[in-house]
Amino acid sequence: MVLIGLTGGIGSGKSTVARMCAQRGWRVVDADRIARDIVEPGQPALAELAQEFGQDILQEDGSLNRKELAHRAFVDTERTQLLNSITHPRIQEETQRQFVAAREEAVDFTVYDMPLLVDNGLEGDMDFVIVVDVNPEERVRRLVEFRGLDEVDARKRINAQISDHERLAAATHVIDNNGTLKQLAERAAAVCDDIEAVSS
Ligand code: ATP
């Protein structure tokens, strides 16, 4: 199985490219989705979070109140580490489970959609690394227009991530997404074609 890391700054178009990869039959392992799934009601991580941070982090229907958890967890490094010690092992376990399942099912190409791939130094574990690249001003524009983020918040989130320069240095393939969605589809297809060709 060929394992392809897919990354890019917030709002760069990773999910859009991941959908295109799925359409051509590649398996997608979605890091953001795994992070959400492990704190769904009934999951052990959610019960542990409630035990450590208080029942008020739960909404009436038993689901996680993310805002309240953030208020309580991101107050100091000790509390942040406590949060990470509960969630990170579960995220890693589920990620590995999905990689193993893809191998067992003899999937040829698996794309790991992971915003923090380079921030977390995971690029070395991948056979290829695709970076979706968009200039920061355009990302701010898209985050405000399509996601309804406030402009200051969008800039803050971009600045909290690793620099574009560092991320691009880890790429084996770069997809320029400063153009239209049609151009993105063409460029993504060309990159996937190339990965399939060099892997065969
Ligand atoms: P996040 O980091 O928040 O998970 P992402 O990198 O997965 O974001 P997407 O959700 O794929 O990014 O794209 C962000 C928004 O920009 C979406 O609304 C998407 O439809 C839009 N978008 C992506 N590429 C283009 C493009 N070339 N032209 C116009 N809109 C685009």
Side-chain angles (χ1 to χ4, degrees):
M1 182 181 81
V2 178
L3 184 57
I4 301 116
L6 171 64
T7 193
I10 176 170
S12 58
K14 296 175 296 295
S15 311
T16 309
V17 172
R19 277 195 295 278
M20 294 168 180
C21 293
Q23 275 164 9
R24 67 190 285 141
W26 289 15
R27 176 68 56 89
V28 176
V29 174
D30 181 338
D32 281 346
R33 171 141 195 214
I34 292 173
R36 285 196 303 272
D37 285 352
I38 61 114
V39 291
E40 280 289 301
Q43 294 297 317
L46 185 59
E48 239 180 89
L49 287 171
Q51 201 179 333
E52 296 292 348
F53 291 98
Q55 295 297 319
D56 289 350
I57 65 153
L58 300 177
Q59 321 215 56
E60 271 183 17
D61 65 0
S63 64
L64 178 62
N65 181 336
R66 287 168 192 283
K67 222 172 182 181
E68 191 56 40
L69 176 63
H71 276 314
R72 291 168 183 229
F74 299 130
V75 285
D76 55 34
T77 41
E78 201 180 312
R79 301 239 102 200
T80 305
Q81 275 170 6
L82 176 61
L83 168 67
N84 291 342
S85 73
I86 295 169
T87 55
H88 285 185
R90 264 87 179 212
I91 291 172
Q92 273 162 16
E93 194 185 321
E94 176 56 19
T95 306
Q96 289 309 318
R97 192 194 65 72
Q98 293 193 17
F99 288 159
V100 168
R103 282 205 178 86
E104 285 176 358
E105 292 165 43
V107 167
D108 290 325
F109 296 92
T110 293
V111 63
Y112 180 35
D113 177 359
M114 173 45 159
L116 300 179
L117 189 83
V118 182
D119 310 56
N120 291 359
L122 299 173
E123 65 271 24
D125 299 341
M126 305 292 127
D127 298 308
F128 297 95
V129 174
I130 301 174
V131 173
V132 186
D133 186 43
V134 182
N135 91 54
E137 285 308 311
E138 178 61 15
R139 278 156 60 202
V140 169
R141 197 190 67 74
R142 287 180 191 166
L143 286 168
V144 170
E145 185 172 339
F146 302 125
R147 291 280 179 76
L149 279 190
D150 160 80
E151 185 178 332
V152 176
D153 191 23
R155 288 185 195 284
K156 227 193 256 173
R157 289 188 194 207
I158 288 174
N159 290 333
Q161 296 187 324
I162 200 171
S163 72
D164 290 350
H165 176 72
E166 285 170 282
R167 195 183 295 107
L168 285 166
T172 57
H173 293 75
V174 177
I175 298 176
D176 175 347
N177 186 22
N178 286 295
T180 63
L181 279 168
K182 185 167 175 280
Q183 286 171 321
L184 176 64
E186 287 162 3
R187 290 168 189 171
V191 162
C192 293
D193 284 346
D194 184 69
I195 290 174
E196 288 183 359
V198 299
S199 306
S200 64

